[in-house]
Amino acid sequence: MRRILLATMAAIGLTAAAAQAQPRTRLTVYTALENEQLAPFKAAAERAVPGIEIAWVRDSTGVITARLIAERANPRADVIWGLSVFSLLQLEAAGMLEPYTPAGADALRPNFRSARTPMTWTGMDAFVSAICFNRVVAEQRGLPRPTTWAALLSPAFRGQVVMPNPASSGTGFLTIAGWIGAMGEAQAWSFMDRLHENVQVYTHSGSAPCNNAARGEYGAGLSFDMRSVALRNQGAPIDVIVPTDGVGFDLEATAIVRGTANLDAARRLADFTVTRAAGDLYGRFYALLAHPAATSTVENYPADFAARLVSQDFSALAARREEILREWTRRYDGKSAPRN
């Protein structure tokens, strides 16, 4: 009996070892997720989807989008997980996304998923433009607390505003798209002309303006809600302000790259990204989630922000994205930070 038991245990051990030794499918995943999200997202996906290994390629939205377009004839990415829907709609129009409806995707909020059948992308969460307002700098410089975008036009803010370059940052683009949606295009350009006088620098990262403001380098950093709330919760002396005169927003989304050599594994990862469990993971960082049953655990999030979202036609904006960015660059790029 003892020999049988030992033999059985040895067989189980060999089976487990063999399972562990099975080669995993390495998925190259392009993303604009924040750096602190990469490790928990990778760990959760690899637990939920046996046999895959995620290799991140991470950069800002504009850089990742440009890279995907440049690689169109010879795709190097398998999956896009965590990129602006504006970018994905641009890639969709170019025929670069693999049609696939992930299992369970019909449970997502209707405006958080592709309208095509099969779907070409699925939403994860939404983020909105916000102002990181440093209370210490404000007291030192006599800056009024802005509750609207218009308040940033005050001469008191000259040289005290930093915001993302929309040509390289998805946060920058959703911010100016929000102004266009709230004000109309002509008035939005007039507003940006005046705001430009107060802007010290346009960064190439959506997080950087809030990081700058949190360190006391500027009084007001135009960024997005997730970064703003995270820094406040870490003790930065900032107020997170969602302006009352309307804010732009963007969806973070997932898609499979057409031409991937790992289509089966890519589909299995896409299936995971629309689950309630994945939604709860997104909810550790965002308040507005694609899965209606998922729970957000973000603390100190601004109240009533959802009521301040402007009406946005994502497809129309995506179709005009390059035109809008060319005009923005022509007018304001002289104050952009040097590219690394």
Side-chain angles (χ1 to χ4, degrees):
M1 178 62 73
R2 185 170 180 272
R3 289 180 179 176
I4 294 174
L5 179 60
L6 289 173
T8 301
M9 292 176 66
I12 292 172
L14 288 171
T15 301
Q20 290 177 356
Q22 290 295 318
R24 294 191 293 171
T25 300
R26 184 181 177 89
L27 290 175
T28 300
V29 181
Y30 281 23
T31 188
L33 291 168
E34 294 298 297
N35 285 314
E36 62 265 33
Q37 294 172 269
L38 300 182
F41 280 41
K42 173 182 168 72
E46 291 177 355
R47 283 196 304 269
V49 188
I52 69 163
E53 176 186 1
I54 289 179
W56 293 115
V57 175
R58 192 265 171 204
D59 215 312
S60 62
T61 297
V63 174
I64 286 292
T65 305
R67 181 167 181 166
L68 285 160
I69 292 171
E71 296 171 357
R72 178 180 179 181
N74 184 26
R76 298 180 183 179
D78 297 300
V79 176
I80 303 162
W81 187 14
L83 189 65
S84 162
V85 73
F86 290 117
S87 294
L88 291 181
L89 287 168
Q90 185 180 1
L91 302 178
E92 177 189 79
M96 295 172 59
L97 303 183
E98 176 71 22
Y100 176 64
T101 299
D106 290 339
L108 302 180
R109 301 181 196 275
N111 58 340
F112 275 76
R113 61 182 192 238
S114 166
R116 295 192 179 188
T117 304
M119 297 177 187
T120 50
W121 58 271
T122 50
M124 302 159 53
D125 46 64
F127 53 100
V128 306
S129 49
I131 301 171
C132 292
F133 183 64
N134 189 299
R135 297 186 301 271
V136 175
V137 174
E139 184 176 353
Q140 292 170 344
R141 294 181 172 270
L143 302 179
R145 185 181 189 278
T147 58
T148 64
W149 296 118
L152 295 176
L153 302 180
S154 166
F157 282 99
R158 186 65 55 88
Q160 285 299 308
V161 179
V162 58
M163 73 167 282
N165 178 325
S168 51
S169 163
T171 302
F173 186 73
L174 78 90
T175 300
I176 67 170
W179 293 335
I180 291 171
M183 305 175 191
E185 191 153 348
Q187 189 175 341
W189 287 117
S190 176
F191 168 79
M192 285 186 270
D193 284 345
R194 297 170 64 193
L195 180 66
H196 182 66
E197 297 176 6
N198 287 350
V199 171
Q200 182 67 23
V201 66
Y202 297 102
T203 69
H204 296 292
S205 159
S207 300
C210 196
N211 295 339
N212 295 147
R215 290 193 295 263
E217 297 168 8
Y218 303 98
L222 279 54
S223 189
F224 62 106
D225 51 349
M226 174 263 181
R227 170 55 55 189
S228 310
V229 173
L231 289 173
R232 178 184 173 182
N233 288 343
Q234 291 169 17
I238 57 173
D239 287 341
V240 181
I241 299 171
V242 179
T244 59
D245 46 352
V247 294
F249 67 104
D250 195 354
L251 306 182
E252 217 165 30
T254 302
I256 298 173
V257 178
R258 176 171 278 179
T260 172
N262 299 304
L263 183 56
D264 177 67
R267 285 175 171 174
R268 290 189 291 122
L269 175 59
D271 290 344
F272 167 71
T273 68
V274 302
T275 61
R276 161 78 186 273
D280 288 339
L281 179 64
Y282 309 148
R284 290 167 52 183
F285 303 94
Y286 295 96
L288 187 57
L289 305 173
H291 199 298
T295 302
S296 172
T297 55
V298 179
E299 297 180 351
N300 297 316
Y301 202 85
D304 303 324
F305 78 98
R308 301 176 187 178
L309 304 182
V310 301
S311 177
Q312 288 189 171
D313 184 334
F314 288 110
S315 295
L317 283 166
R320 294 193 58 221
R321 182 175 182 271
E322 294 307 313
E323 173 193 347
I324 292 169
L325 292 178
R326 280 195 300 271
E327 181 62 16
W328 187 94
T329 299
R330 183 186 71 81
R331 290 175 182 245
Y332 313 123
D333 197 43
K335 286 188 178 180
S336 291
R339 292 182 183 272
N340 295 331

